[in-house]
Amino acid sequence: SQQGEEDPQALSIQEGENATMNCSYKTSINNLQWYRQNSGRGLVHLILIRSNEREKHSGRLRVTLDTSKKSSSLLITASRAADTASYFCATDMGNRLAFGKGNQVVVIP
Amino acid sequence: GAVVSQHPSWVICKSGTSVKIECRSLDFQATTMFWYRQFPKQSLMLMATSNEGSKATYEQGVEKDKFLINHASLTLSTLTVTSAHPEDSSFYICSAHNRATSSYEQYFGPGTRLTVT
């Protein structure tokens, strides 16, 4: 089954605006992680939120987790052109990560 | 710290030949390595999980005889695509996980782009 389905899949914003992405999943998880991927490159780990946490911050990133709704959101504040990338959520089910479809974010300078 | 490298970064091969991709953890011991496949504009699909010194566990639908995985040491795993065909063209990404650190994170390599002509 498909875990971690992000919505929306494509987002185009002006530099300085905030970008919000959502992710839903279907089964119980240990934690949920967000990754960034620049075109044709590997993944960069952004932030991890454990199943018993509700919100976490890291710099300009804010992640929320609602285990009752099985959903998470990633907020990038004050976006920059360098934030242009694909963003994936991944659910950790103990022995593997299941990746969502990904959000393509384009930040226009 | 926690750097994972892949070699080669890109490779072009002829149909019917085999290609080996290496994944190395440079500054930590990777008790578990994962191999993913990613098609353009799509998500990562887990192909197999390999634990050092044991046979890889393949995901459903992944041919173990076609995608040979070896994890002979704590810092190196290899993926060999045997008898490659054009439909095997894809972006292959490995990641490494060190359970000894109790970290849930996986550290990803930069990926290998395979083109089969």
Side-chain angles (χ1 to χ4, degrees), chain B residues 36-98:
Chain B
Y36 296 87
R37 184 173 183 177
Q38 185 181 33
F39 290 107
K41 299 189 184 302
Q42 294 190 23
S43 187
L44 279 73
M45 289 176 45
L46 179 64
M47 298 175 66
T49 302
S50 72
N51 293 298
E52 185 267 337
S54 62
K55 290 184 179 180
T57 301
Y58 290 81
E59 293 299 298
Q60 191 173 7
V62 177
E63 300 175 59
K64 60 179 67 177
D65 293 331
K66 181 168 184 62
F67 299 99
L68 301 179
I69 291 172
N70 183 277
H71 191 166
S73 77
L74 285 171
T75 60
L76 173 65
S77 177
T78 60
L79 167 68
T80 301
V81 183
T82 63
S83 187
H85 290 285
E87 56 264 32
D88 298 325
S89 298
S90 188
F91 193 53
Y92 293 87
I93 305 176
C94 73
S95 70
H97 180 194
N98 185 359

Side-chain angles (χ1 to χ4, degrees), chain A residues 31 33 37 42 50 92 96 100, chain B residues 38 43 59 104 106 109-110:
Chain A
N31 63 75
Q33 304 175 31
Q37 184 182 35
R50 300 182 191 281
D92 182 346
R96 65 182 62 188
Chain B
Q38 185 181 33
S43 187
E59 293 299 298
Y104 290 112
Q106 289 185 20

Side-chain angles (χ1 to χ4, degrees), chain B residues 7-32:
Chain B
H7 178 80
S9 56
W10 61 270
V11 57
I12 301 172
C13 71
K14 291 186 177 180
S15 189
T17 61
S18 295
V19 175
K20 179 185 284 188
I21 302 170
E22 293 186 349
C23 177
R24 292 181 185 273
S25 56
L26 299 184
D27 50 4
F28 67 101
Q29 293 184 330
T31 49
T32 305

